[in-house]
Amino acid sequence: MAQALQFLISSSASPNRSFSNLSSSKPSFYTSHRRIPVTVVRKPISAVYSDLESPSSRVLVSENGKGGVFPGMSSGTMTSTDSSAIEVDAVTETELKENGFRSTRRTKLVCTIGPGTCGFEQLEALAVGGMNVARINMCHGTREWHGGVIERVRRLNEEKGYAVAIMMDTEGSEIHMGDLGGTASSAKAEDGEIWTFSVRAFDSSRPERTINVNYDGFAEDVKVGDELLVDGGMVRFEVIEKIGPDVKCRCTDPGLLLPRANLTFWRDGSLDWLDIDFGIAEGVDFIAISFVKSAEVINHLKSYIAARCHDSDIAVIAKIESIDSLKNLEEIIQASDGAMVARGDLGAQIPLEQVPSAQQEIVEVCRQLNKPVIVASQLLESMIEYPTPTRAEVADVSEAVRQRADALMLSGESAMGQFPEKSLAVLRSVSLRIERWWREEKRHEAMKLSDIASSFSDSISEEICNSAAKMGKHLLIQISTGQLDKNSATNNLEVDALFVYTKSGHMASLLSRCRPDCPIFAFTTTTSVRRRLNLQWGLIPFRLSFSDDMESNLNRTFSLLKARGMIKSGDLVIAVSDMLQSIQVMNVP
Ligand SMILES: Nc1ncnc2c1ncn2[C@@H]1O[C@H](COP(=O)(O)OP(=O)(O)O)[C@@H](O)[C@H]1O
Ligand SMILES: C=C(OP(=O)(O)O)C(=O)O
Ligand SMILES: [K+]
Ligand SMILES: [Mg+2]
C-alpha cells in the first residue's frame, strides 16, 4: 500500500500533542538552525484520505485562465456555489496536461497596453499568450481611455475566466515645470508670494511670477488647499485659487525654482499623485510609482490607499529609475510591495554601462526582502518594428530570467508595436527554455536568504517555507535512507509540486522567494490576492474557499484537479498551510 508521510511542524512547545503513532526522528534534510519541533507521522494513505468525502460547497478557480466546463457537465450548471464546478486557466491547464508540472513557466509577463492592444480581442490574445499583468501607463492617453481598458480586462476576466491583474503606472512626479521664460536659469520664490502655475502656452509676453506646467490636466486635477512641492520639497506652495488654466499658489517655503523641476502634490497631509484617486476608484491591483526618491513617499502613499480602500488592497510598486532611488534602494524596497527596474529612465540618469549591475543589485535586494521585481524597458525593442528579436535582445531577456526576476515587462512592443503577440511569445519561449536549461543543469548558485520575519509566527512560516522548498530538492536522499517507504519509491522521486493554502498570500510569496525547482500551486480565498500573486515567480494561483481542515482541503483540491487531468495519482506533492503551519508530504491518491 502506498504511504503518505506527514511532517507536521508545530509552533507549540509540546509537539507530541495528539498524535499517537509518532516517530520522534527528525528528518535529516531538516537543517533548520531554529528550534521548531518537527514531528514525523506515519499514516497509511487510506487513513489520510478517509475523511475526504466531506460535502463541499466550495469552488476552485484558477488564475489567468479561461473558464472550462467540468467533464460531463453542461456550462449551465456552473455556478459559484456548485461544488463540482471548476474554472481553470486554459493556458496553465494545457501546459500541465501536456508537459507536466515541472514545465510550467515560472517567470511572469507584464504587457503595457496601448493603442495596438486595447481592444477586447487583442487583450484576449495577450491573455492566451501568457500575459499575467496588464499595465496602463498614465503618461499617455486619457483617463477615459484607460478606464475603457480596465473595463475590458475586467470583462475578459469575467466572461472568459481569466484573472489578469491590472497595474496602473503613474505619471507621478514626471509632472514638471517648463522653462522659466527668457534666459532665466533660475528664479527665487519668497515666502508669501503669489505665483501662477499654468498650462497655457505663452509667447514672449509671459506675466511675472508665472510658471508653465507640462501636464494638460493639471488645473483640473489640483484642488484648492493642496500643497505643491517643487523638486521634492525644495520649495513649497499652497494652492489658493483656480482660474481656468491658471492655478494661483502662495509660497509657504521659499527657495530657488529651477527650469523643468519636478512637481508633486500633498493633499490632506498625504502625497497625492494625480492618478492615484483614479486607480483607487477603479480598484486596480498594482500602482507603480515613477521616480520614487525615498521610502517616505511609499509610506505616505500606502497610508493614503489604506485610508481610502477598505475591502481591497492595492500593492505599491516602486519604480527604480533615478539616482536617489538607487541611493535609498533598501529602504524603498522594504517600504514597497514590489519594485520595477525601470531601465528606460534609469539609463538616462546613470551611465548606461552601470545599468546591468544596478539591475542585478535591485533583483537581489528584492529577493532578499521578499518583494516581487519586474525587469522593464527595451527587452525586445526592435520588435516594435520587426517580427523577430535581435540575438542581443534574446540574451538580455535570458539574463533577466537567469537572475530569476519575478517578471519581465513589454513597453512599446505591446503598446504600439507591430508585433505585440509575437513579442509576448518570445518572452514566453525564452523564459521556458532558460528556466528549464538552468534547472536541468543545476546551475543556479544557491542564494543565502537572510531571515526576514518580524514576529515569531512569521519566522515559523518562513522556516516552513524554506524547509518545504529544500525538501523538494532533497526528498530523494531521504527515501533512500529510509525516511519514506522504499516500496513506494518509483524511479522518479522528484517532488512534482508545492501546494500552499494561504489567505493573505504571504506564505505563497515566501515559497516563491526560495525559487524551488517545482511549481507552486497557491490556493487563496480572495480574487484580489489571487490576481496579485500572479506577479510572483513560480506561483500558479487558484481561488479556493478552504477550511481549517487541511485533509479535507487537500482531498477536495486533489479530486478537482484530478478530474481536470491537471494532476494524477502518484504525483508527489508537498503541502504547506498558514492556518496550521504544517508541512505534509504525500502522493496524490
Ligand atoms: N495609453 C497609450 N496611448 C498611446 N500610446 C501609448 C499608450 N501607452 C503607451 N503608449 C506608447 O507606447 C510607448 C511605450 O510605452 P511606455 O514605455 O509605457 O512609455 P514611455 O515611452 O513614455 O516610457 C510610448 O512611448 C507611447 O508611444
Ligand atoms: C518603465 C519605465 O517608466 P516609463 O515607461 O513610465 O517611463 C522606464 O523608465 O523604464
Ligand atoms: K509612467
Ligand atoms: Mg520611466
Side-chain angles (χ1 to χ4, degrees):
M1 183 194 286
Q3 279 202 339
L5 184 65
Q6 288 192 332
F7 303 98
L8 292 173
I9 297 189
S10 164
S11 55
S12 139
S14 65
N16 292 358
R17 286 170 300 173
S18 56
F19 302 105
S20 49
N21 59 347
L22 299 170
S23 155
S24 59
S25 62
K26 179 175 171 175
S28 58
F29 53 77
Y30 189 79
T31 55
S32 166
H33 51 281
R34 289 228 183 88
R35 318 132 317 271
I36 299 171
V38 177
T39 311
V40 179
V41 183
R42 281 181 199 276
K43 263 191 185 182
I45 195 108
S46 55
V48 174
Y49 295 104
S50 60
D51 55 351
L52 295 191
E53 267 78 68
S54 60
S56 148
S57 61
R58 294 149 185 140
V59 178
L60 180 69
V61 186
S62 146
E63 188 60 17
N64 191 34
K66 201 167 182 167
V69 180
F70 196 84
M73 286 173 56
S74 77
S75 56
T77 62
M78 276 184 57
T79 68
S80 60
T81 53
D82 188 332
S83 66
S84 55
I86 177 168
E87 265 183 63
V88 124
D89 172 336
V91 178
T92 306
E93 186 176 2
T94 309
E95 266 181 18
L96 287 174
K97 279 183 186 164
E98 287 176 2
N99 310 317
F101 288 168
R102 300 186 77 85
S103 308
T104 55
R105 173 168 47 85
R106 313 298 203 269
T107 312
K108 302 305 180 79
L109 305 176
V110 182
C111 300
T112 302
I113 305 304
T117 39
C118 61
F120 187 83
E121 269 139 45
Q122 293 158 322
L123 290 167
E124 186 177 6
L126 292 179
V128 170
M131 167 172 69
N132 301 102
V133 179
R135 167 185 181 252
I136 47 172
N137 187 352
M138 304 307 280
C139 288
H140 306 281
T142 61
R143 294 238 171 96
E144 202 184 0
W145 186 92
H146 292 293
V149 173
I150 294 171
E151 183 271 320
R152 286 187 285 281
V153 173
R154 289 261 161 73
R155 190 149 51 85
L156 181 66
N157 288 344
E158 272 161 31
E159 285 177 12
K160 310 265 178 165
Y162 290 99
V164 174
I166 294 165
M167 176 180 294
M168 184 189 83
D169 196 323
T170 56
E171 188 144 26
S173 50
E174 284 165 277
I175 302 169
H176 52 79
M177 309 182 344
D179 294 330
L180 296 167
T183 54
S185 60
S186 70
K188 185 91 203 297
E190 300 286 359
D191 206 7
E193 275 178 3
I194 308 296
W195 284 69
T196 303
F197 290 80
S198 178
V199 297
R200 269 188 291 159
F202 296 102
D203 44 29
S204 49
S205 60
R206 181 202 308 243
E208 217 194 333
R209 291 184 194 152
T210 301
I211 302 259
N212 252 135
V213 178
N214 72 329
Y215 169 61
D216 287 343
F218 176 76
E220 284 158 41
D221 289 322
V222 74
K223 286 187 186 158
V224 171
D226 284 353
E227 193 175 18
L228 180 58
L229 275 69
V230 180
D231 262 346
M234 301 304 291
V235 189
R236 287 171 195 250
F237 293 88
E238 187 192 336
V239 177
I240 53 168
E241 196 182 2
K242 300 206 293 183
I243 311 167
D246 294 351
V247 177
K248 299 250 176 233
C249 301
R250 179 186 298 113
C251 181
T252 54
D253 197 352
L256 217 50
L257 302 173
L258 299 173
R260 304 184 59 77
N262 276 319
L263 295 176
T264 44
F265 292 89
W266 294 67
R267 183 171 296 166
D268 301 331
S270 279
L271 193 52
D272 181 81
W273 290 267
L274 299 175
D275 296 311
I276 302 296
D277 291 335
F278 172 77
I280 292 172
E282 292 285 342
V284 300
D285 301 294
F286 299 97
I287 295 184
I289 303 299
S290 299
F291 294 99
V292 172
K293 288 182 173 147
S294 65
E296 197 199 357
V297 171
I298 300 288
N299 289 330
H300 277 290
L301 175 62
K302 290 198 72 157
S303 45
Y304 185 84
I305 292 171
R308 279 158 189 80
C309 50
H310 304 287
D311 38 357
S312 73
D313 195 16
I314 300 176
V316 174
I317 304 292
K319 291 172 70 183
I320 309 301
E321 51 185 341
S322 64
I323 293 171
D324 288 330
S325 62
L326 284 175
K327 272 189 208 142
N328 304 322
L329 189 63
E330 287 204 21
E331 59 161 68
I332 290 172
I333 290 172
Q334 183 65 62
S336 310
D337 302 307
M340 184 193 293
V341 189
R343 304 187 302 184
D345 283 294
L346 189 60
Q349 300 232 344
I350 63 173
L352 278 178
E353 63 273 20
Q354 287 176 22
V355 173
S357 55
Q359 172 179 323
Q360 164 97 20
E361 189 193 351
I362 298 163
V363 170
E364 273 178 25
V365 170
C366 285
R367 174 93 178 276
Q368 283 297 348
L369 297 177
N370 194 27
K371 312 284 178 167
V373 61
I374 305 160
V375 174
S377 295
Q378 297 184 341
L379 277 96
L380 299 173
E381 187 79 359
S382 76
M383 289 192 76
I384 291 176
E385 282 180 79
Y386 301 100
T388 51
T390 67
R391 282 50 173 164
E393 286 165 345
V394 171
D396 178 50
V397 171
S398 302
E399 175 61 7
V401 173
R402 191 199 59 75
Q403 289 172 348
R404 297 199 280 182
D406 289 84
L408 308 175
M409 189 174 104
L410 294 176
S411 297
E413 302 93 328
S414 58
M416 46 58 133
Q418 292 187 48
F419 304 99
E421 287 167 46
K422 280 200 171 130
S423 303
L424 187 60
V426 169
L427 289 190
R428 193 166 161 216
S429 57
V430 174
S431 297
L432 280 166
R433 190 67 194 87
I434 299 298
E435 288 164 5
R436 201 179 83 207
W437 176 46
W438 280 78
R439 259 197 322 274
E440 284 171 356
E441 302 269 316
K442 302 257 178 278
R443 297 275 287 278
H444 284 297
E445 61 282 14
M447 183 187 277
K448 170 122 185 48
L449 297 175
S450 45
D451 298 342
I452 47 167
S454 55
S455 69
F456 181 66
S457 168
D458 277 358
S459 76
I460 304 240
S461 297
E462 191 179 320
E463 203 58 52
I464 285 172
C465 290
N466 292 347
S467 302
K470 229 179 276 169
M471 283 159 74
K473 287 187 180 156
H474 301 306
L475 206 57
L476 185 59
I477 300 161
Q478 290 316 307
I479 288 163
S480 62
T481 56
Q483 291 282 347
L484 273 177
D485 182 358
K486 275 183 196 149
N487 296 331
S488 71
T490 65
N491 286 332
N492 178 12
L493 288 162
E494 284 176 323
V495 172
D496 293 290
L498 295 169
F499 279 21
V500 54
Y501 295 81
T502 173
K503 287 188 174 154
S504 66
H506 182 58
M507 198 93 168
S509 72
L510 285 172
L511 277 182
S512 164
R513 178 185 185 230
C514 297
R515 303 295 195 255
D517 275 359
C518 56
I520 305 156
F521 284 34
F523 304 99
T524 186
T525 48
T526 61
T527 49
S528 55
V529 172
R530 180 174 57 123
R531 282 196 304 271
R532 276 205 301 280
L533 292 180
N534 219 2
L535 182 64
Q536 299 189 25
W537 191 96
L539 297 184
I540 304 175
F542 294 79
R543 186 170 69 78
L544 175 71
S545 305
F546 49 75
S547 69
D548 285 354
D549 178 355
M550 269 298 280
E551 289 190 3
S552 111
N553 294 336
L554 279 167
N555 280 326
R556 211 175 58 257
T557 313
F558 285 153
S559 63
L560 287 170
L561 293 179
K562 265 174 80 178
R564 291 301 291 242
M566 294 171 74
I567 57 171
K568 56 186 187 313
S569 289
D571 283 341
L572 191 57
V573 166
I574 297 182
V576 306
S577 135
D578 60 10
M579 292 98 63
L580 292 178
Q581 297 199 307
S582 66
I583 299 184
Q584 290 164 279
V585 184
M586 61 193 63
N587 292 106
V588 175

